[in-house]
Amino acid sequence: IDEIAAACEQRRPGSVTGPRITPWNSCEVEVITPEGARVVLTAARPLDPNSAQADGLRSIGIEVPKA
């Protein structure tokens, strides 16, 4: 995602917002095309098995192995 954001910003300065980390554990970049279309690129992030997010998933019955 970082490389894509940098390439888009270099090609069209001011067209990129992000990357940003979301509460749902992804990394997102928003790009506005020359035509005005809004494109959001999303990449999953690795889940830390010792994090509060992992504990939350376990609390609702989703199996997340502990480190």
Side-chain angles (χ1 to χ4, degrees):
I1 290 287
D2 292 332
E3 294 84 10
I4 294 170
C8 290
E9 184 64 28
Q10 182 180 7
R11 178 86 173 156
R12 190 164 182 257
S15 65
V16 176
T17 302
R20 65 187 167 124
I21 305 304
T22 67
W24 44 92
N25 205 37
S26 69
C27 179
E28 294 186 350
V29 170
E30 179 180 318
V31 180
I32 304 298
T33 70
E35 299 79 20
R38 177 178 166 258
V39 179
V40 178
L41 306 165
T42 304
R45 298 180 65 223
L47 180 63
D48 177 355
N50 300 314
S51 68
Q53 287 176 323
D55 289 341
L57 291 171
R58 285 186 202 97
S59 75
I60 60 170
I62 297 174
E63 186 176 332
V64 178
K66 290 210 176 221

